[in-house]
Amino acid sequence: MHTFIGGHQAVNHLDFVELALGTPVELWLGVEGETELERAARLDAARDILADDPTLPDDVSRIAAEAIEAYVPELFNVVPLSRPAGRRRPVTGKGAAA
């Protein structure tokens, strides 16, 4: 069985990420052994993409959260930590209750 997204075949998880981002993952993370010149060119390209699509970081965060919620929901099962009684520090300075 093959998975196609927008006419492109997704073979592995990196393909899904690349198709969701619209850019290769390596553009954002870099590759091992890249030279300073390659790194500068990669970061320059990334800046251009972000300038053209300023909502990309928010979109990527939303997509990542939706994927986690769908495939690893237990990562969202958080328990608030309670502080032991009597160990709270009083709020001082600007904005403190009188």
Side-chain angles (χ1 to χ4, degrees), residues 35-96:
T35 67
E36 285 299 315
L37 187 60
E38 291 168 332
R39 181 177 190 274
R42 177 178 58 78
L43 293 176
D44 191 44
R47 277 190 288 276
D48 286 346
I49 289 169
L50 290 174
D52 289 343
D53 187 0
T55 65
L56 183 63
D58 292 336
D59 294 342
V60 169
S61 298
R62 181 183 43 75
I63 291 167
E66 289 171 358
I68 291 168
E69 188 174 40
Y71 297 104
V72 198
E74 62 272 10
L75 291 179
F76 282 126
N77 293 338
V78 295
V79 177
L81 298 175
S82 60
R83 296 181 183 174
R87 304 242 12 210
R88 293 186 178 171
R89 289 185 248 157
V91 177
T92 59
K94 190 175 184 176

